[in-house]
Amino acid sequence: MATSITTLSITDAHTGLLTPSESTPSDTTAVERLQSLQAPSSSSTSPRPDEEFWLEDGNITLIAGDVEFKVYKGPLVANSPVFKDLLSLPQPPQPGGSSSSQCMCGNAPALVHVSDSPENVRHLLRALVPGKSPRVTPEDLSFDAVSACIRLGHKYEIDHMVQRCLDYLKKYFVEGYDTWARTDPPRPPAFQSVHCIGVVNIARMTNTDILLPTALMGCCMLTAAELVDGFAREDGTREVLAAEDIGRCFLGRANLMQANTLATLKLFNQTLSEGCTRRDVCAPVFLRLLDELRSHERVVCTLDWYKYWSDYIDGRDDDRRLCAPCYKMLSEREKQQHREIWRRLPELMGVAVEDWAQDVPAPAATPPSSEDP
């Protein structure tokens, strides 16, 4: 007697599974909604077993595109309410008119068609179920892994996995000024610069606005072609910004340039330290620092507002003619200007973020100093 297989289907979250913002009858259960999504596979070719996730004693087979994954249903049911509801659906009538009230996966493997890419499903399974060989989670997660876990975690309601990945992004797309090394736009070690586009989209999808200022700032550093065209995901589809966010980035580039120019002029304001010990020496150095900016466009006309001005200062005053109090004052001005741009970053990027830059106080009144030289 042939072994029966329960065949079910899950469509994409954006075209099938209903989101909280969509209206549904209050008396419609999750199981009823999932029942409406069942559809036969449209694939015309036989799927091939995945090399990493094909367990001979597995009791559920997921088919994504032209790849099938045979795994254990336990971790999926335990972590995902969507899979739990799906696998409790009544079986289709069997030959001879018999039927069963539930998916009897213990006796016959369930066959579940999903609209996700094989690459994304593979990342999801790596996070949830054991494969053929033990794995150690790498410290430096790839963008593809993080994106897949968030998007599929969002679709299948695996909230703890989504939150864990968002916390990983927050660790690098920093919430605090003092946690950022300020050598490059913030991003995880294994991410490329163009992946800031994907982080913006993740922030939009999950309503994680705290990621937007630094992710949009990273997008501002891209070329115009990269910003508009986006990048190819692991599965071949393209990740692109929404038109509104592309517009924010082009305006953000101008805002960052202006902010850096004004900050540079404030830094080299011709006011010596109140404790200056060599006014006759420091005054000409201050004037030269300001005057020579004309031939150093990269100091003034740059998007890299977070880079240290100390390299320019040391290059113009290599024999250290500035007295210690004046040099320290310039260092403090640099920190103050950087902190102020950081505090204003959401405004410069055209977004509103609650509780941004709580570690950066609002600018205080200008402290007393000596008269202009």
Side-chain angles (χ1 to χ4, degrees):
M1 180 177 180
T3 303
S4 62
I5 297 179
T6 299
T7 302
L8 302 171
S9 173
I10 304 179
T11 61
D12 184 76
H14 296 93
T15 57
L17 291 177
L18 300 177
T19 63
S21 62
E22 295 176 304
S23 59
T24 57
S26 57
D27 58 345
T28 301
T29 66
V31 171
E32 289 171 337
R33 293 199 302 271
L34 285 166
Q35 279 180 309
S36 68
L37 299 177
Q38 296 184 45
S41 172
S42 60
S43 175
S44 59
T45 59
S46 299
R48 54 183 172 80
D50 185 67
E51 294 182 0
E52 183 175 352
F53 289 100
W54 186 261
L55 307 178
E56 294 299 335
D57 59 343
N59 53 11
I60 183 173
T61 299
L62 304 178
I63 297 182
D66 61 350
V67 180
E68 56 183 358
F69 305 83
K70 190 174 183 181
V71 294
Y72 307 121
K73 72 166 185 173
L76 295 175
V77 172
N79 288 282
S80 169
V82 174
F83 275 107
K84 181 179 180 181
D85 287 342
L86 180 71
L87 296 177
S88 68
L89 291 173
Q91 283 195 92
Q94 302 298 320
S98 62
S99 64
S100 175
S101 61
Q102 287 190 331
C103 169
M104 302 300 293
C105 300
N107 299 326
L111 196 62
V112 180
H113 294 271
V114 295
S115 59
D116 314 296
S117 70
E119 292 80 7
N120 282 352
V121 171
R122 195 172 293 114
H123 285 300
L124 176 70
L125 295 178
R126 285 171 182 163
L128 293 181
V129 303
K132 290 184 177 179
S133 59
R135 294 182 306 279
V136 177
T137 302
E139 293 184 4
D140 298 340
L141 298 174
S142 70
F143 170 80
D144 292 313
V146 173
S147 176
C149 287
I150 290 178
R151 292 182 182 281
L152 269 61
H154 184 72
K155 174 178 178 178
Y156 297 118
E157 300 177 14
I158 311 174
D159 295 339
H160 65 89
M161 183 172 69
V162 172
Q163 189 58 53
R164 187 174 62 197
C165 291
L166 290 176
D167 289 342
Y168 178 79
L169 292 178
K170 290 178 184 179
K171 178 182 175 181
Y172 294 97
F173 290 87
V174 284
E175 299 179 61
Y177 172 82
D178 291 329
T179 63
W180 176 25
R182 288 177 291 151
T183 55
D184 288 298
R187 64 174 182 266
F191 281 34
Q192 299 176 16
S193 57
V194 292
H195 291 152
C196 291
I197 292 173
V199 177
V200 170
N201 291 336
I202 287 172
R204 295 297 191 191
M205 181 185 71
T206 60
N207 296 317
T208 312
D209 292 344
I210 199 73
L211 297 173
L212 287 174
T214 46
L216 285 168
M217 183 186 75
C219 292
C220 288
M221 309 298 172
L222 302 175
T223 66
E226 290 174 328
L227 188 58
V228 173
D229 296 339
F231 64 93
R233 298 189 186 102
E234 191 178 25
D235 59 7
T237 60
R238 295 203 70 79
E239 182 96 38
V240 296
L241 285 175
E244 294 83 357
D245 282 327
I246 292 177
R248 285 187 178 90
C249 290
F250 280 113
L251 289 175
R253 288 167 67 92
N255 290 338
L256 289 175
M257 188 83 71
Q258 182 185 58
N260 184 75
T261 300
L262 294 176
T264 304
L265 295 176
K266 291 177 181 178
L267 175 68
F268 297 114
N269 179 279
Q270 297 296 288
T271 304
L272 304 182
S273 168
E274 191 176 40
C276 178
T277 59
R278 298 197 298 266
R279 287 181 55 82
D280 58 329
V281 175
C282 291
V285 175
F286 265 66
L287 188 60
R288 186 169 74 250
L289 288 173
L290 180 62
D291 184 64
E292 292 189 8
L293 285 174
R294 291 179 296 179
S295 57
H296 290 79
E297 292 87 352
R298 282 293 300 164
V299 177
V300 182
C301 302
T302 179
L303 297 172
D304 301 335
W305 61 269
Y306 47 85
K307 295 294 180 66
Y308 295 95
W309 284 291
S310 54
D311 290 342
Y312 170 79
I313 296 172
D314 293 341
R316 310 283 76 71
D317 186 37
D318 53 356
D319 54 353
R320 184 58 72 242
R321 293 175 61 80
L322 284 174
C323 70
C326 282
Y327 189 82
K328 181 179 179 181
M329 182 189 69
L330 287 176
S331 298
E332 291 301 319
R333 283 183 183 176
E334 180 183 65
K335 293 178 183 178
Q336 181 183 4
Q337 294 305 317
H338 279 162
R339 285 177 175 271
E340 177 58 12
I341 295 178
W342 175 264
R343 188 184 68 82
R344 295 182 55 220
L345 195 57
E347 171 195 346
L348 298 176
M349 295 295 101
V351 294
V353 179
E354 293 184 4
D355 302 326
W356 175 262
Q358 290 184 310
D359 60 334
V360 178
T366 303
S369 58
S370 66
E371 297 180 354
D372 292 347

